[in-house]
Every structure is written in C-alpha cells, then in structure tokens.
Amino acid sequence: MGKCEQCIVRELSSLKALSKNELVHLADCKDTHLIKKGEVIFNEGDVINGVYCIKEGICKLVKMNSNGKDTILKLITKGELLGQTSILTQEKATLSAIAVEDMHVCFIPKTEILSFIDNNRNFSLEVTKDVCQNLNYATDFAINHTHKTVKERLALALLSILDSAGTDHEGYLNLQLSREEIASMVGTATESCIRLLSELKKAGIIDLKGKRIKINNIQNLKNLAQ
C-alpha cells in the first residue's frame, strides 16, 4: 500500500492539509486503480461516492451538448483531485472524466472525505478553495468561448496541453491528442482545427509531425491567445 504522506498528490492538492495520522488512515482506506487510455473514470449523471486522486496520467473532463457532441472543458493531470464538488453539493456528476493516456489513480471514499471536512478546518478550507478555483475556471472558459476567435481558442488549447503534459526531448507535446479532441477543446469543427493548425505552422509558431505538435514560439502563441 502506497504511503499517502509521500505522494505527489498530497503535496499539490487539498490533501496537504491532512495530518500525518489522517494520511496514515487514508492509506488504509483508499483503493488504487490502473485506468487505460480511453476508459471512463465516471460518466455525466453518475453518483460519485468519493474523490479520485490523479497519481499518474491525464484525463479529459467532457460535457455532452444537446446535439450529442462532446466538448472537452479541461485536462486534469497528476497532482489534481476529481469529485470534490460533487461530494460537497451531493449532486450527480455534471461532466464525464475519460483517460487520454494510461493513468494511476487512488479512490478515497466519500465518508472519509466528509469526516476530514468535519474534523479538519484547514482541509475544509483547502477543499473550498479548490472548488472556487474550478468555478473561476468554468467562468473563464465560458467567457473565452463567447468572446475569443477560434484561432485564439486554439492557441489557448495548445497552451493548456503544454501546461498539462509538457514536452519530450525533441520539444513535441508529450500528450498526443487527436485533431478531433483538439477541435473539441476549441469548440470548432475538426476541419477548421486542421486548417488553423496549418496556418500556425506556416507562421512558424508550431511544427506538425503526424499527430505530434511542437510549439516553436511560446510567446507568439501567448500573444495570440490574449
């Protein structure tokens, strides 16, 4: 059983507010799961009975619109938690979480999370902060999709992938999303996404090699995203 007090997720998430005794207890009550690329962690409408700690890998948070098309709202990566909002609101999941690469996650039962919230004020505050940050992110996402052009949103999406996954030794993004997935992040048709990626390549801002993408000029991409 892994030691929660030595885990990267504890250092980067609200779990950092737990005491050593609480972390030892956590190690005894958690379950660990290996999730393969493409597998669903939970679906929109599911009852979530705990919190998922992302130890390795990346997943996408997806919302299905009335036309049955998916929109990728956010990438969740190592050190982050899933399910805190549903635990606090006692509501069903409003999004689906799907692995975009192989993942290693730990699951903490709802009863344990609620106990920590009741008995540890600092943990309760950290969870509240996390939920507020998620709300701020959702607000920014809505504003960007209302006021920014498709090209500006594509720049934001590429920066988000860079932030989530980093680059390999050749400078290519570690996470290889399909053109359909990138289009889903941007909120546009796949054909438009492909055309705009080609435009960014012609401008020298990125390089393309199959599915692989290299950002040549981060500052130009940031300028475009603004």
Side-chain angles (χ1 to χ4, degrees):
M1 187 70 73
K3 292 186 177 180
C4 293
E5 62 267 32
Q6 297 173 359
C7 180
I8 187 68
V9 183
R10 182 196 68 81
E11 297 170 12
L12 299 176
S13 70
S14 53
L15 299 179
K16 63 179 174 285
L18 297 180
S19 68
K20 184 172 182 180
N21 286 341
E22 287 171 326
L23 289 167
V24 169
H25 174 70
L26 189 59
D28 290 334
C29 70
K30 73 179 184 184
D31 292 319
T32 58
H33 302 277
L34 294 175
I35 299 172
K36 293 292 184 183
K37 178 180 178 180
E39 288 184 353
V40 174
I41 301 173
F42 55 79
N43 274 310
E44 185 176 342
D46 284 353
V47 174
I48 301 180
N49 290 313
V51 168
Y52 296 87
C53 306
I54 311 303
K55 196 167 184 182
E56 292 290 343
I58 299 173
C59 70
K60 58 185 178 182
L61 291 183
V62 174
K63 182 75 174 178
M64 185 176 289
N65 65 24
S66 55
N67 298 323
K69 284 194 69 176
D70 288 343
T71 298
I72 299 176
L73 301 182
K74 190 177 184 183
L75 296 174
I76 302 293
T77 188
K78 180 169 74 174
E80 297 187 69
L81 303 180
L82 281 174
Q84 293 185 104
T85 302
S86 293
I87 295 297
L88 290 180
T89 61
Q90 305 288 303
E91 294 177 351
K92 295 178 180 178
T94 56
L95 305 169
S96 298
I98 304 167
V100 292
E101 62 181 19
D102 291 349
M103 301 180 71
H104 181 188
V105 307
C106 295
F107 178 77
I108 307 168
K110 173 181 175 179
T111 50
E112 304 300 331
I113 293 294
L114 291 176
S115 175
F116 293 147
I117 288 173
D118 285 341
N119 297 305
N120 184 325
R121 181 174 177 272
N122 288 336
F123 178 71
S124 180
L125 286 171
E126 290 294 336
V127 170
T128 303
K129 271 196 253 180
D130 282 354
V131 171
C132 289
Q133 286 173 357
N134 289 339
L135 179 60
N136 289 338
Y137 181 90
T139 302
D140 289 342
F141 183 90
I143 291 171
N144 288 336
H145 272 63
T146 302
H147 297 295
K148 288 189 181 295
T149 66
V150 177
K151 184 178 275 190
E152 289 167 344
R153 298 201 304 268
L154 174 58
L156 279 173
L158 294 176
L159 290 169
S160 175
I161 298 169
L162 174 65
D163 184 55
S164 297
T167 58
D168 63 17
H169 66 283
E170 294 182 86
Y172 287 91
L173 295 173
N174 273 320
L175 183 63
Q176 292 181 36
L177 295 178
S178 69
R179 296 297 185 257
E180 289 81 7
E181 286 175 312
I182 296 173
S184 176
M185 291 182 72
V186 175
T188 190
T190 304
E191 295 77 13
S192 297
C193 180
I194 292 170
R195 177 177 53 80
L196 289 170
L197 284 170
S198 295
E199 287 182 15
L200 292 179
K201 180 181 179 181
K202 286 178 185 174
I205 296 175
I206 65 172
D207 269 337
L208 302 173
K209 189 177 180 182
K211 276 190 181 181
R212 302 170 75 202
I213 300 174
K214 178 193 287 186
I215 298 173
N216 292 326
N217 194 318
I218 293 175
Q219 192 54 55
N220 278 2
L221 200 62
K222 287 181 177 177
N223 292 342
L224 179 57
Q226 291 174 356

